[in-house]
Amino acid sequence: MSSITVISKTIQTFSDLLQIEIAFFDPKGVITVSTEEYKLKKGNRVHLPFFQKQYEYPVNFVKKPGHMSICRGCHFQKKCPSTAEIVISIVRNGKHFGYLSFVSFSPDGQEKLINRQKEYSYWMSQLSDIIIGIVQGIDGFESISPAKQEKTEYILGNSITLNKLKENIKNIKNSSSSIFITGETGTGKSLLAKLIHEQSMFRKGDFIEINCSSIPETLFESELFGYEEGAFTGARKKGKPGFFELADRGTLFLDEIGDLPIHLQPKLLKVLQDGMVRRIGGTHTKKVNVRIIAATNQPLSQLIESKQFRSDLYYRLNVIPFHLPPLRERKEDLEDLLEILMEKLQMRTGKFIQTYNKDFLKKLKKYHWPGNIRELENVIEYSMNMERTMELTASSLPDFLCDLNANIQPIQTEKDFLKESEKETIIQKLAQYGYDYGGKTQVAKELGLSIRTLYRKIDKLGIDIPTK
């Protein structure tokens, strides 16, 4: 039984006995486990500055949730569903394990918490000791932290298409069949692959990700299958395992599969068929049990027609197809994505903004998001940096979004508009990370491009690179 399950059962038992709602948060203030009532009333989001303040004191009693100075900027400010809270910071031998909160949502519960503070503080202390014991005794805390979940769930929303996608992922949790993900750049294909891995029977193994467009063709075979000592000049002593070996009993994610060199495609097909790999220079084969997920943002049918991609490999990969729709086709997900992205970007921007006004959302809904969720994240990060108030307003948006009329583009100019938006994004990222090779490498990584592709786009879009 996992740590998260044990903690959840323990918290529910204490909640039933004490007739109080309980939530447990990791050291970053991210909710890990809570009672159903707590999740129903307050959701998964918390006001980070509030939890950072709690670390300064062992126990805090909150008599007026939503009406205190520390609540400023919280999306529940002046309308918090809690009537009273007791929050404890769980620290043992200098190590911070997280936070525990006892919460009331009713006047009766408020009176109970106020009149029996010492009693509830005692039970909080007891529960904290139990949680520490569970965390230290089973698997370790980091393995149950929802930080991994934070990286994957923000690609999803609650539109009909996305809910169906989530249901389909649940249906294949015990399957080892290959999965093929299609979608435009920036829709979150790699994050979807990680989510599938984490909800599958391969989750205890490693998730190994390869961007097929970023590995030099001469090195691809050795990276994929590994090599033995002395296989070629410069080979490491004792050799090196390939990605297939590293992903054994886990998931191998082949992103941009359309860029896989044609001469390697038969070798990949053979591994998919018999599950055996042989290192370069080796004489022995090794059996591997790997779940393959492939992804592309380009139509492979054209590559198959031009003989650049093998049809038999495509059919072997395309057993379970998933398509991630572009953001412009599911704008009803914008509000869910906005909330999660704002929370995610709080530490990076140093701004603890959790709300936005109607005009801000209206501008976002007018735009058609050629860069999809990746572009949305960039825009939210920009706005949070520029915003001077405690909520996002239209005035903090980038220039290309500020003019409402500029976002209503006629059909015949859509391609030009897409190019201009892509150009603007690359310019912003180059200014952020720098114009040298290291900066460009970081930009390419963040935009999901190979360094070669980035150079081609810089040239094609006419982006000026400052000289020293």
Side-chain angles (χ1 to χ4, degrees), residues 62-72 76-80 82:
V62 185
K63 292 183 179 179
K64 297 181 178 180
H67 298 274
M68 302 167 64
S69 59
I70 194 63
C71 299
R72 188 184 175 201
F76 282 132
Q77 187 176 0
K78 295 183 180 179
K79 55 180 180 180
C80 187
S82 307

Side-chain angles (χ1 to χ4, degrees), residues 7-204:
I7 292 174
S8 178
K9 288 180 177 293
T10 304
I11 280 179
Q12 188 59 55
T13 300
F14 270 73
S15 173
D16 293 341
L17 289 172
L18 301 174
Q19 294 297 296
I20 204 75
E21 303 305 323
I22 303 175
F24 171 55
F25 307 84
D26 76 1
K28 294 180 181 179
V30 178
I31 192 166
T32 302
V33 175
S34 74
T35 55
E36 285 300 318
E37 183 70 11
Y38 182 95
K39 190 173 292 185
L40 180 66
K41 292 288 178 62
K42 301 196 74 170
N44 292 318
R45 297 173 57 215
V46 295
H47 188 43
L48 191 59
F50 176 81
F51 278 89
Q52 291 175 327
K53 191 72 175 174
Q54 306 315 306
Y55 188 64
E56 300 174 12
Y57 308 97
V59 181
N60 289 268
F61 186 78
V62 185
K63 292 183 179 179
K64 297 181 178 180
H67 298 274
M68 302 167 64
S69 59
I70 194 63
C71 299
R72 188 184 175 201
C74 178
H75 60 296
F76 282 132
Q77 187 176 0
K78 295 183 180 179
K79 55 180 180 180
C80 187
S82 307
T83 55
E85 298 183 26
I86 303 178
V87 182
I88 186 171
S89 182
I90 306 175
V91 180
R92 175 73 60 84
N93 298 326
K95 183 176 179 180
H96 189 206
F97 290 87
Y99 306 93
L100 188 63
S101 179
F102 279 18
V103 184
S104 162
F105 294 111
S106 67
D108 290 344
Q110 180 186 35
E111 183 179 353
K112 190 188 299 182
L113 276 181
I114 291 174
N115 294 334
R116 297 161 59 184
Q117 286 183 50
K118 288 185 178 180
E119 179 183 343
Y120 280 109
S121 295
Y122 167 78
W123 287 115
M124 289 188 86
S125 176
Q126 296 299 307
L127 180 55
S128 297
D129 288 342
I130 293 172
I131 289 174
I132 290 173
I134 295 170
V135 165
Q136 291 180 330
I138 308 177
D139 294 334
F141 180 66
E142 291 186 2
S143 66
I144 67 162
S145 172
K148 292 181 180 178
Q149 197 173 27
E150 175 191 3
K151 295 178 182 177
T152 55
E153 287 204 337
Y154 81 83
I155 68 166
L156 302 178
N158 290 303
S159 60
I160 295 174
T161 305
L162 268 293
N163 281 334
K164 183 178 179 181
L165 180 64
K166 287 185 276 188
E167 284 301 315
N168 287 338
I169 291 173
K170 292 178 182 178
N171 291 338
I172 61 169
K173 64 181 181 180
N174 295 320
S175 170
S176 61
S177 300
S178 298
I179 295 172
F180 197 78
I181 303 173
T182 56
E184 295 178 5
T185 297
T187 49
K189 295 185 292 296
S190 65
L191 294 173
L192 176 60
K194 291 175 185 175
L195 181 63
I196 293 170
H197 167 75
E198 290 169 10
Q199 295 189 7
S200 74
M201 64 181 182
F202 293 92
R203 61 186 175 274
K204 292 185 179 180

Side-chain angles (χ1 to χ4, degrees), residues 178-179 193 197 202 205-212 220 223-225 242-255 257 268 271-272 277 288-295 317:
S178 298
I179 295 172
H197 167 75
F202 293 92
D206 290 332
F207 178 87
I208 304 296
E209 180 175 353
I210 309 170
N211 189 312
C212 297
F220 214 109
E223 291 293 315
L224 204 58
F225 304 112
F243 289 128
F244 268 101
E245 289 183 64
L246 295 174
D248 190 20
R249 299 183 183 179
T251 301
L252 181 61
F253 176 51
L254 301 170
D255 198 8
I257 188 66
L268 174 60
V271 176
L272 294 180
V277 294
V288 291
N289 181 20
V290 177
R291 184 357 143 44
I292 298 293
I293 302 178
L317 293 170

Side-chain angles (χ1 to χ4, degrees), residues 189-452:
K189 295 185 292 296
S190 65
L191 294 173
L192 176 60
K194 291 175 185 175
L195 181 63
I196 293 170
H197 167 75
E198 290 169 10
Q199 295 189 7
S200 74
M201 64 181 182
F202 293 92
R203 61 186 175 274
K204 292 185 179 180
D206 290 332
F207 178 87
I208 304 296
E209 180 175 353
I210 309 170
N211 189 312
C212 297
S213 66
S214 64
I215 300 176
E217 191 168 330
T218 54
L219 298 178
F220 214 109
E221 186 172 3
S222 63
E223 291 293 315
L224 204 58
F225 304 112
Y227 57 82
E228 296 290 2
E229 181 178 350
F232 49 81
T233 303
R236 293 182 185 177
K237 289 185 177 181
K238 298 183 180 180
K240 178 185 175 183
F243 289 128
F244 268 101
E245 289 183 64
L246 295 174
D248 190 20
R249 299 183 183 179
T251 301
L252 181 61
F253 176 51
L254 301 170
D255 198 8
E256 304 302 344
I257 188 66
D259 291 323
L260 182 69
I262 188 70
H263 73 274
L264 283 180
Q265 293 178 24
K267 296 183 179 181
L268 174 60
L269 178 61
K270 189 174 187 308
V271 176
L272 294 180
Q273 290 173 337
D274 59 25
M276 306 295 291
V277 294
R278 179 185 293 178
R279 295 186 184 184
I280 296 175
T283 57
H284 301 288
T285 57
K286 179 180 179 180
K287 182 73 174 177
V288 291
N289 181 20
V290 177
R291 184 357 143 44
I292 298 293
I293 302 178
T296 182
N297 64 359
Q298 53 184 321
L300 285 190
S301 57
Q302 295 178 11
L303 296 178
I304 292 172
E305 287 179 10
S306 61
K307 307 297 182 182
Q308 297 179 63
F309 201 89
R310 293 176 61 108
S311 59
D312 50 359
L313 176 58
Y314 169 71
Y315 293 123
R316 188 72 185 187
L317 293 170
N318 192 32
V319 178
I320 301 176
F322 282 124
H323 178 69
L324 269 174
L327 186 55
R328 63 181 174 273
E329 294 180 4
R330 53 185 184 98
K331 289 185 180 178
E332 62 268 40
D333 285 334
L334 269 173
E335 294 180 57
D336 290 327
L337 293 168
L338 254 176
E339 291 185 358
I340 301 171
L341 287 174
M342 284 192 295
E343 185 172 333
K344 177 190 177 196
L345 294 167
Q346 285 178 350
M347 295 303 292
R348 191 187 304 176
T349 61
K351 300 283 188 70
F352 301 103
I353 301 173
Q354 293 186 316
T355 58
Y356 52 87
N357 63 22
K358 292 182 179 179
D359 196 29
F360 182 86
L361 180 61
K362 184 179 179 181
K363 296 277 188 183
L364 297 187
K365 287 188 174 181
K366 284 286 185 181
Y367 188 52
H368 65 286
W369 301 106
N372 293 295
I373 296 174
R374 186 181 292 126
E375 184 182 16
L376 175 64
E377 182 172 348
N378 290 341
V379 167
I380 302 306
E381 184 175 352
Y382 176 91
S383 294
M384 288 180 71
N385 276 299
M386 295 298 123
E387 187 57 64
R388 296 181 179 180
T389 68
M390 291 305 294
E391 71 173 6
L392 294 179
T393 60
S395 62
S396 67
L397 286 166
D399 291 341
F400 70 94
L401 279 171
C402 282
D403 184 0
L404 187 61
N405 294 326
N407 296 325
I408 307 175
Q409 295 293 316
I411 295 174
Q412 61 267 28
T413 63
E414 186 173 352
K415 287 185 178 179
D416 292 335
F417 191 75
L418 291 174
K419 276 176 67 175
E420 194 59 36
S421 176
E422 184 179 37
K423 181 177 179 180
E424 180 71 22
T425 299
I426 293 174
I427 289 173
Q428 287 180 9
K429 289 301 173 183
L430 286 170
Q432 180 180 352
Y433 292 111
Y435 299 93
D436 58 3
Y437 182 79
K440 290 173 185 172
T441 301
Q442 184 64 32
V443 172
K445 181 179 179 182
E446 186 158 326
L447 296 181
L449 306 172
S450 68
I451 190 68
R452 297 193 302 272

